[in-house]
Amino acid sequence: MVIETRSPEETFTLGETLGLGAKPGTVYTLVGDLGTGKTVFTQGLAKGLGITEPISSPTFTIVQVYEEGRMPFYHFDVYRISDVEEMDEIGFEDYVYGEGVSLIEWANLIEEIIPERHIAITIEKDLEQGFDYRKITVDDFSKIDTGED
Ligand code: ADP
Ligand code: MG
């Protein structure tokens, strides 16, 4: 699915819509260059989960946990990860295979440990379409049969 947005508000609303429909255990991956709108999207998603506190980028902590919404929200930013083993140390699997909703910014950097079942979101600019244009691709791999259950 491809969604085109032309303002931060539209990207926020897309995030909110997905957040409203999110189920426990859903894992979102979020990939896009700096300044494309990953944080805007994440703020919308958090609102859709019922979180009212501001969402910042968990740059220094890798993961930020929000408990106030309909279910826990685990917001990862793995931009500064130098080795996937760092993710083991913070208990990555407990989060992503747990009952909360996970969102992983820069998930491409830890591709090998992303659960097969996830919803992949990519945000891209296209300056020919204008400065505020974003092409947002949502690929749902959350219902694939992994042969596990
Ligand atoms: P990232 O987290 O990917 O680095 P941010 O969400 O922090 O990016 O910033 C995105 C910037 O782009 C904001 O300043 C926002 O106002 C601006 N912007 C302009 N158009 C859009 C759009 N269609 N969707 C999202 N953000 C947009
Ligand atoms: Mg950001």
Side-chain angles (χ1 to χ4, degrees):
M1 174 171 72
V2 174
I3 298 105
E4 297 174 298
T5 70
R6 295 184 185 274
S7 69
E9 292 76 18
E10 284 182 44
T11 297
F12 183 96
T13 300
L14 173 65
E16 187 178 3
T17 303
L18 292 183
L20 284 167
K23 295 186 175 59
T26 306
V27 175
Y28 296 93
T29 61
L30 185 50
V31 174
D33 291 339
L34 278 175
T36 47
K38 296 185 298 300
T39 296
V40 170
F41 175 89
T42 304
Q43 287 166 340
L45 189 113
K47 185 174 178 222
L49 290 171
I51 296 163
T52 57
E53 66 187 282
I55 302 293
S56 54
S57 271
T59 306
F60 298 103
T61 52
I62 304 177
V63 63
Q64 191 85 46
V65 177
Y66 298 87
E67 300 274 8
E68 69 158 309
R70 277 189 291 126
M71 57 196 104
F73 177 46
Y74 310 125
H75 179 203
F76 296 85
D77 184 335
V78 302
Y79 186 65
R80 284 182 172 74
I81 288 289
S82 48
D83 191 311
V84 290
E85 277 176 29
E86 287 177 52
M87 300 306 290
D88 291 341
E89 286 161 25
I90 63 154
F92 181 68
E93 297 212 333
D94 294 335
Y95 291 114
V96 291
Y97 294 107
E99 290 297 297
V101 167
S102 300
L103 181 144
I104 307 156
E105 295 194 40
W106 297 99
N108 50 309
L109 300 178
I110 58 163
E111 214 171 68
E112 56 266 56
I113 59 168
I114 296 296
E116 274 191 77
R117 287 182 176 160
H118 67 275
I119 298 174
I121 297 158
T122 308
I123 311 183
E124 295 163 285
K125 290 187 185 181
D126 180 354
L127 291 177
E128 285 181 12
Q129 301 274 346
F131 192 66
D132 291 343
Y133 172 89
R134 301 291 187 272
K135 178 181 163 193
I136 304 177
T137 306
V138 180
D139 285 316
D140 188 346
F141 301 105
S142 69
K143 294 177 184 73
I144 55 162
D145 184 1
T146 60
E148 273 168 27
D149 34 66

